[in-house]
Amino acid sequence: MTVLQGVRVLELANERIAFAGKLLADMGADVILIEPPGGDAARAYGPFLDDQPGPDRSLWWWHYHTSKRGVVLDLCQAEGRERFKALVASADVLLESEPGTRLADLGLDYADLRRLRENLIHVSMTPFGRDSVNANVPVTDLTLLAGGGPVWSCGYDDHALPPVRGGGNQGYHTGCHIAVMSALTALLYRGASGQGQFIDVSMHQAANVTTEGASYSWLVAQQTLQRQTGRHAATVQTGDTQMLCKDGRWVNTGVPPRYPQEFGRMLEWLRALGLEEQFPEAIFLEMGAALEGQLNLSKIGVDDEITAIFAAGRAALMLIAENVTAYDFFIGCQTRGLAVGVIYSPEEAYEDTHFKARGFQVEVWHDELGRSVRYPGAPYKLPASPWAISRRAPRLGEHDAEVLGTAT
Amino acid sequence: MDRPEANPPAALAGIRICDFSGQLAGAGATKWLAAFGAEVTRIEDPTREGRWDILRGIGPFVDERRGINLGGGFNNHNTEKFGVTIDVRTARGKEMVAELIRQSDVVTENFAAGVLERWGFGYEGLKAIKPDIIYVSNCGFGHVGPYQAFKTWGPIVQAVSGLTFSSGLPDQPPAGWGYSYMDHTGGYYMAMAIMLALLHRRKTGEGQWVDLACTEAAVTLNGPALLDWTVNGRPSRREGQPDSNRSASPAMAPHGIYPCQGEDDWAAIACRDDADWGRLAAVIDEPWGAEVAYATLEGRLAHQDVLDARLGAWTAPRDKFEVQRELRAAGVPCSAVQKPQERIDQDPGTAGLWPTVSHSEMGEVRVDGIPARFSATPWRIERGGPCLGEHNEEVFGRLLGLSPDEVVRLRAEKVI
């Protein structure tokens, strides 16, 4: 049983909206991806299978269009528009990120389409929203994240270096998360009321409300947060949280020890590694271990003893990090109760034992290769209605015959 | 489009959520649901004054007052919710929680794995109270797997999932995310999971337990890089990477963040194709812009360092909004790196995004709104986050049938 089985989604191919369609398709929706003749531009996005470009070799395409069927329709031609309208008559959701007034110009906007399907849910996800004065401004993931707030908060202590866009096209992802939440909200409402509706998602606004403290520090207190290396942007400079380990990999140390048992475990770990001799501050770890209750963080910098204990906890972490691998530091800290993270590359995360044990690696059959390919798995586990990749991404026009009853 | 009705319906009216969640990863999820009319009641611990949710008592603050009802982040993430206090360690408290669950559709939490179970409200316990309950737990590594006991918060989730690594400049430490991107995004996945489970229950009558691991959701957010690994064997950990101000998928050049006139002012510029480059070169109007080497994407990628230096020299003496205006007019993707004040108070693109809520102690405060307009069921965010136990009388009266006197007695007995 898949939860969205029987929900038909039409998606007008566009790099910005592709992820929203995937999220619905992998939950069982019948997502029909509609491309123009010649195919969507994203078929030319690298990386490619064996580094050889080709319309069916884009790994970008493979990832973002799983579980969908694909058809070709030329919406610039009357025949294409008629076929599209015929599909709309059987559709539950339309996902699109068409520029400006394109759909209205084609006679295919919500006002037109609802006459064909009264309870249609039309999700328009555009860079600045449908009615924006910027509706025709060209964007990429980079420019959306720069204007929308995330970039301002990311980068380095050294502000001579530019602020940084987080990798992975997260501006598009954030818009798509909002688009999917909107579609699900509207499906629940339609289930209760029978009514469809038009939903106008602004990607710029989506980024604006996905910045945590940067927005509400301004809204509440007119404070401007400043970016810092690898940690939260803040109004004041905070201590480093990233350390380089023996194997040249980084870790995020989280919050240094605060509780007596944490100081005790750090001391025990230093001894086990034979590092106590090199660590004259060990005495402060002993004092930390003898504390009654949590270290009073508000007295750091005020009370000499508390300041020294806190500093010793941090210094012990740094010394250990220099002497073990990043992975051993991560496991060693976590098993001692400290919330520390190894800074994995994406593939290192993917190959990690925890995610493997949870079944995160999934195999998808590629008939054209005669073998299956490993993909990233479910973002959430719904055991009664599981997430699944039901098929590889469609080739151009692969499902014209079965969906449109035609061959192109 | 549809004209807004005077009293438009709420999309999620009638859905009741018993919400043990907090911080941002949990509270962000139920904020969405509450904005669309779900009845969300946060259950907080009176013995610790709700401090499990650290945001209750930390800044930003609207004025010089401090306290557990005055945290600006808490208010931001908990609009339109009800707040009650119950000590679940007491027998009477457990009875009250059980009755609230019996009348709810969904139970949500984002404690460390096992906390709710220790109180007797693990999935088996919840099912015994209400067989078709939907239970959504959200924690860093999930409730199953070798790292289930490990602790996380946003930056740790981002570190372990690959998101920190893939954000940075070459030959520098990871830049990562200067905020808890995965607390926001984990909350988005949690909201999706809740709604998917509601749709499933409507169809089949059955509830379920959704085990959401925030790190797992995060790993999915580097898809093409992961396939480059599984298909081509190419790791992201390689010479010259990460370089996330540039773009490899799709390949674009120039593509970066360039200095402008002013204090820490920058502009992002991206050329999607040769035509964008031609338009950019025309605006710049310098001899180097006409160099043949730059006419093709391959050429621009091969000479990207020099190209970036030249483009940066062109932007450096210019105002970032002037660069934005000129390049946008020419059809080239460009945006000033906007500071909070610029995007919140001076950008018409965020008009309507920052509703003012009324908070019982803080007064009138602006908060994050919802970045989508619904023609039939608009979102509504008017009420601020609840003070600790603010709705005890109302909720216990309405759902548990308790009189005001009984609520007073429970407070004296430290049950609430």
Side-chain angles (χ1 to χ4, degrees):
Chain A
M1 184 70 195
T2 53
V3 55
L4 298 181
Q5 190 177 353
V7 174
R8 176 169 276 195
V9 178
L10 305 183
E11 174 187 333
L12 295 182
N14 184 301
E15 59 167 354
R16 295 187 291 267
I17 197 80
F19 191 50
K22 170 181 166 65
L23 286 166
L24 296 174
D26 291 342
M27 289 310 295
D30 175 21
V31 178
I32 298 170
L33 178 66
I34 298 168
E35 294 182 77
D40 181 54
R43 287 184 177 274
Y45 289 1
F48 299 99
L49 168 66
D50 299 330
D51 294 334
Q52 300 298 312
D56 299 314
R57 304 178 70 89
S58 159
L59 303 183
W60 190 102
W61 188 264
W62 288 15
H63 174 69
Y64 285 110
H65 293 307
T66 55
S67 308
K68 302 176 189 177
R69 296 191 289 172
V71 301
V72 172
L73 285 179
D74 187 352
L75 299 183
C76 299
Q77 302 294 327
E79 187 191 354
R81 288 194 292 275
E82 289 313 307
R83 285 190 173 153
F84 176 70
K85 287 178 180 174
L87 283 178
V88 168
S90 69
D92 301 290
V93 178
L94 170 64
L95 290 179
E96 52 88 6
S97 186
E98 294 302 302
T101 57
R102 176 163 192 258
L103 288 183
D105 295 344
L106 292 170
L108 299 177
D109 211 351
Y110 179 63
D112 310 295
L113 301 180
R114 69 179 301 187
R115 287 194 211 110
L116 307 167
R117 180 71 161 173
E118 201 194 338
N119 61 1
L120 180 71
I121 295 164
H122 179 160
V123 181
S124 160
M125 184 196 81
T126 55
F128 296 95
R130 270 294 186 88
D131 302 335
S132 169
V133 292
N134 290 324
N136 292 309
V137 163
V139 301
T140 66
D141 184 77
L142 173 79
T143 66
L144 281 169
L145 290 175
V151 164
W152 172 254
S153 293
C154 302
Y156 297 98
D157 292 352
D158 178 2
H159 285 197
L161 291 169
V164 170
R165 169 187 75 139
N169 288 328
Q170 307 304 333
Y172 288 3
H173 287 166
T174 297
C176 287
H177 293 145
I178 299 297
V180 170
M181 289 156 71
S182 297
L184 295 175
T185 303
L187 280 168
L188 280 165
Y189 178 66
R190 197 182 73 161
S193 69
Q195 305 289 309
Q197 57 184 314
F198 176 78
I199 299 163
D200 180 8
V201 177
S202 158
M203 302 175 81
H204 176 63
Q205 293 198 351
N208 263 276
V209 295
T210 310
T211 66
E212 206 189 5
S215 287
Y216 63 72
S217 294
W218 182 261
L219 292 168
V220 172
Q222 290 72 55
Q223 292 170 340
T224 300
L225 305 190
Q226 304 290 339
R227 65 186 181 276
Q228 310 190 82
T229 306
R231 61 197 189 280
H232 272 64
T235 50
V236 293
Q237 181 108 11
T238 59
D240 285 343
T241 59
Q242 294 184 159
M243 292 180 193
L244 198 57
C245 291
K246 186 183 163 188
D247 59 348
R249 296 177 185 210
W250 293 87
V251 289
N252 184 308
T253 58
V255 182
R258 287 171 294 166
Y259 293 94
Q261 61 272 29
E262 292 173 347
F263 288 105
R265 289 178 197 140
M266 294 308 295
L267 187 59
E268 161 264 316
W269 195 8
L270 276 173
R271 284 175 180 153
L273 291 168
L275 294 170
E276 194 185 359
E277 304 267 297
Q278 302 173 37
F279 194 67
E281 304 96 318
I283 179 69
F284 293 112
L285 294 183
E286 283 180 21
M287 290 163 68
L291 284 171
E292 285 177 20
Q294 186 185 350
L295 191 79
N296 188 342
L297 297 177
S298 67
K299 293 209 170 157
I300 292 170
V302 180
D303 178 311
D304 289 347
E305 188 176 306
I306 283 177
T307 306
I309 292 171
F310 185 75
R314 182 187 286 271
L317 279 176
M318 292 181 75
L319 180 61
I320 291 171
E322 287 166 15
N323 284 278
V324 300
T325 65
Y327 183 75
D328 287 347
F329 186 79
F330 164 54
I331 298 295
C333 284
Q334 283 281 6
T335 53
R336 288 172 176 81
L338 290 172
V340 159
V342 54
I343 297 180
Y344 272 150
S345 65
E347 68 279 0
E348 289 162 356
Y350 184 74
E351 300 294 352
D352 180 273
T353 174
H354 179 77
F355 302 111
K356 275 186 177 168
R358 285 176 61 88
F360 184 70
Q361 296 196 356
V362 298
E363 302 269 339
V364 176
W365 179 249
H366 276 251
D367 53 309
E368 81 285 12
L369 305 179
R371 64 179 165 92
S372 58
V373 169
R374 286 188 301 154
Y375 278 65
Y380 29 48
K381 290 185 180 299
L382 283 81
S385 42
W387 176 101
I389 293 178
S390 59
R391 63 171 83 227
R392 60 155 172 77
R395 295 177 179 207
L396 185 60
E398 182 172 350
H399 303 96
D400 282 0
E402 71 179 60
V403 173
L404 305 173
T406 63
T408 52
Chain B
M1 303 311 145
D2 289 343
R3 193 177 299 275
E5 297 172 39
N7 284 303
L12 304 179
I15 293 167
R16 186 174 289 150
I17 297 174
C18 180
D19 188 11
F20 290 93
S21 77
Q23 315 278 7
L24 170 58
T30 50
K31 173 180 179 167
W32 174 280
L33 302 169
F36 287 98
E39 182 186 316
V40 177
T41 302
R42 279 197 59 151
I43 314 239
E44 297 187 90
D45 181 1
T47 66
R48 296 181 57 207
E49 292 190 310
R51 280 203 176 82
W52 174 76
D53 192 334
I54 191 172
L55 298 178
R56 264 209 165 279
I58 64 171
F61 300 103
V62 290
D63 52 31
E64 67 290 342
R65 290 175 298 156
R66 301 291 178 265
I68 49 154
N69 290 328
L70 298 169
F74 183 90
N75 178 54
N76 191 69
H77 308 327
N78 289 288
T79 48
E80 292 292 330
K81 299 179 194 175
F82 296 95
V84 302
T85 49
I86 302 178
D87 183 353
V88 290
R89 296 168 203 82
T90 64
R92 180 71 182 111
K94 282 194 206 308
E95 282 174 19
M96 293 169 70
V97 168
E99 187 52 34
L100 289 176
I101 290 167
R102 194 168 292 121
Q103 298 188 44
S104 295
D105 302 286
V106 184
V107 173
T108 47
E109 57 110 340
N110 63 318
F111 293 116
V115 169
L116 211 58
E117 182 144 33
R118 282 199 289 282
W119 291 338
F121 299 108
Y123 184 49
E124 292 307 316
L126 295 174
K127 264 199 307 191
I129 297 165
K130 190 165 195 280
D132 66 348
I133 197 77
I134 291 164
Y135 168 41
V136 182
S137 58
N138 173 5
C139 77
F141 287 102
H143 285 227
V144 177
Y147 303 162
Q148 59 170 299
F150 287 9
K151 296 181 199 163
T152 65
W153 61 303
I156 304 302
V157 169
Q158 288 148 208
V160 177
S161 62
L163 286 169
T164 299
F165 177 93
S166 52
S167 171
L169 302 175
D171 307 318
Q172 294 289 336
W177 291 77
Y179 58 100
S180 289
Y181 173 63
M182 276 315 298
D183 280 2
H184 273 294
T185 302
Y188 294 159
Y189 279 92
M190 189 177 185
M192 288 182 228
I194 293 166
M195 291 190 280
L196 286 164
L198 282 165
L199 286 165
H200 179 83
R201 194 188 66 173
R202 195 172 273 172
K203 207 160 151 177
T204 64
E206 54 174 356
Q208 59 186 310
W209 170 20
V210 181
D211 173 22
L212 170 60
C214 211
T215 44
E216 207 162 49
V219 180
T220 67
L221 299 174
N222 269 306
L226 290 176
L227 288 185
D228 203 15
W229 165 249
T230 63
V231 174
N232 293 327
R234 181 181 294 113
S236 291
R237 191 186 289 278
R238 64 179 194 268
E239 189 68 26
Q241 293 294 319
D243 194 358
S244 62
N245 281 355
R246 290 184 173 173
S247 179
S249 179
M252 290 186 252
H255 185 283
I257 295 174
Y258 304 91
C260 291
Q261 188 188 66
E263 173 76 26
D264 207 11
D265 277 329
W266 306 83
I269 300 171
C271 286
R272 297 161 295 179
D273 49 29
D274 296 344
D276 274 350
W277 166 249
R279 291 188 278 264
L280 175 62
V283 173
I284 293 172
D285 195 24
E286 299 266 4
W288 58 265
E291 287 180 17
V292 176
Y294 297 153
T296 63
L297 175 63
E298 290 68 29
R300 293 192 300 279
L301 288 169
H303 300 95
Q304 204 166 355
D305 288 341
V306 176
L307 182 56
D308 277 347
R310 285 172 155 172
L311 187 50
W314 180 77
T315 56
R318 290 176 161 75
D319 177 81
K320 65 181 177 182
F321 288 111
E322 183 57 22
V323 171
Q324 171 181 294
R325 191 194 60 75
E326 270 193 272
L327 296 191
R328 284 182 175 180
V332 178
C334 175
S335 177
V337 173
Q338 294 207 92
K339 297 172 183 175
Q341 180 178 19
E342 291 162 348
R343 62 187 172 79
I344 292 170
D345 288 343
Q346 296 156 12
D347 179 352
T350 65
L353 185 61
W354 318 106
T356 297
V357 298
S358 174
H359 182 280
S360 302
E361 292 190 13
M362 295 166 71
E364 309 270 292
V365 194
R366 284 193 298 169
V367 297
D368 292 345
I370 302 288
R373 291 193 297 176
F374 283 55
S375 65
T377 60
W379 53 271
R380 194 185 69 175
I381 294 180
E382 293 168 2
R383 199 171 65 219
C387 294
L388 189 67
E390 180 170 352
H391 303 100
N392 281 355
E393 273 201 21
E394 179 187 342
V395 171
F396 297 152
R398 181 160 47 84
L399 297 182
L400 307 185
L402 300 183
S403 69
D405 286 348
E406 286 172 296
V407 172
V408 169
R409 195 160 59 242
L410 286 169
R411 189 170 291 128
E413 292 167 357
K414 298 195 187 317
V415 171
I416 63 173

